[in-house]
Amino acid sequence: MESIKIIHRQTNHLYLRLCADGSIRITAPTGLSHSCIMDFLKKHQAWIQKRRKMLPPLPTYSYKDGEKHLFLGRSYELYIKFSTKNSYEIKDSAIILYVKDDTVNKEILFTAAMKNELNIILNTLLHKWCPIMKVTPSSISVKTMKTRWGSCTYQTKRLHFSLDLISKPMPYIELVVVHELTHLMEPSHNRHFHKLMSHYLPEYRKLQRDLQRLPKEFR
Ligand SMILES: [Zn+2]
């Protein structure tokens, strides 16, 4: 199924964006009908198809020995070893999955390992940034996200982070953490938000731009 996200905004124009994962983002004027937006989408189908073909192919993994995976922006080789219990270890440039037997679902084990690693990093970054920014989230969670790197529920102060961040170099994870923490002070992407961001991370615009171009591991 096609992933389309429609954002209504105080604007006079319709904007169409094709994201790195092939999903579509449309920014539309507040109040514009759904059928108008769908007509607009239909008109641009040829352009979307053409652009989709230019996107790098989705990685598919078999979770076999020697397979390469992105971890913190670097390529790691995966190894499967038998052990008394299911676990994992990351050392040098290798991610080792320990499995009890061959029936273990390696994709689930690998995903859980990456989720655990990201949680550790997020907690370290929150430990650093919460006192600086004088904000504290009520909880954090990691999940696969199609079009976003993170989200913040302003009312409940809950933060969510995309699992794919674990494939990115540390400065980009830090960018997303600071971005979501800033939302605890300012829910919208207005002038105040950008002022706060440039105060805490002066290079945030460049990081934001570069993050969109990096290859994805989890979608
Ligand atoms: Zn935001």
Side-chain angles (χ1 to χ4, degrees):
M1 231 194 74
E2 192 150 73
S3 164
I4 304 165
K5 193 175 177 200
I6 300 166
I7 303 151
H8 286 278
R9 217 173 258 158
Q10 297 289 355
T11 170
N12 294 319
H13 303 279
L14 268 162
Y15 297 99
L16 176 73
R17 210 185 110 198
L18 185 66
C19 301
D21 64 352
S23 66
I24 295 160
R25 259 177 99 143
I26 294 174
T27 309
T30 313
L32 189 74
S33 73
H34 191 70
S35 62
C36 277
I37 297 170
M38 288 302 122
D39 282 348
F40 172 77
L41 192 63
K42 248 182 234 159
K43 254 185 233 161
H44 290 82
Q45 269 312 319
W47 179 87
I48 295 165
Q49 295 309 333
K50 200 176 137 202
R51 283 309 199 80
R52 271 217 179 109
K53 282 188 191 137
M54 290 157 72
L55 289 173
L58 296 176
T60 46
Y61 297 109
S62 53
Y63 302 93
K64 289 200 172 99
D65 272 352
E67 185 173 78
K68 290 191 166 56
H69 288 265
L70 273 175
F71 179 74
L72 297 177
R74 283 181 46 217
S75 179
Y76 278 65
E77 279 189 358
L78 184 76
Y79 289 97
I80 315 292
K81 288 184 180 172
F82 290 103
S83 180
T84 48
K85 66 176 193 127
N86 297 333
S87 64
Y88 75 96
E89 185 182 16
I90 297 170
K91 62 176 182 188
D92 306 322
S93 281
I95 300 170
I96 306 152
L97 292 184
Y98 294 100
V99 297
K100 280 200 282 192
D101 55 62
D102 224 11
T103 64
V104 174
N105 185 323
K106 290 160 198 101
E107 183 177 4
I108 292 175
L109 191 59
F110 181 81
T111 304
M114 292 301 106
K115 203 172 182 177
N116 187 48
E117 289 297 311
L118 184 58
N119 264 311
I120 293 168
I121 291 165
L122 290 172
N123 279 305
T124 310
L125 288 170
L126 289 171
H127 198 77
K128 171 185 168 183
W129 283 99
C130 288
I132 297 172
M133 297 173 75
K134 298 185 177 67
V135 285
T136 316
S138 63
S139 70
I140 64 160
S141 76
V142 170
K143 57 185 181 180
T144 46
M145 292 180 168
K146 273 227 169 296
T147 55
R148 295 197 287 182
W149 300 109
S151 69
C152 167
T153 314
Y154 182 69
Q155 289 79 11
T156 57
K157 300 200 180 308
R158 271 189 206 152
L159 305 185
H160 304 284
F161 295 93
S162 165
L163 175 61
D164 189 53
L165 284 172
I166 197 63
S167 68
K168 306 292 176 278
M170 200 61 100
Y172 299 97
I173 308 178
E174 188 156 36
L175 164 76
V176 178
V177 167
V178 174
H179 182 114
E180 298 313 329
L181 286 177
T182 302
H183 275 316
L184 294 178
M185 296 183 258
E186 175 54 66
S188 45
H189 294 140
N190 57 16
R191 197 175 290 175
H192 181 223
F193 178 89
H194 289 289
K195 210 176 149 188
L196 290 166
M197 279 303 290
S198 61
H199 172 72
Y200 293 117
L201 277 186
E203 73 285 19
Y204 81 101
R205 282 186 193 274
K206 187 188 180 320
L207 285 169
Q208 229 163 261
R209 260 197 318 271
D210 294 346
L211 176 59
Q212 305 305 331
R213 300 194 192 111
L214 294 175
K216 286 191 116 191
E217 171 98 17
F218 294 97
R219 295 159 203 254

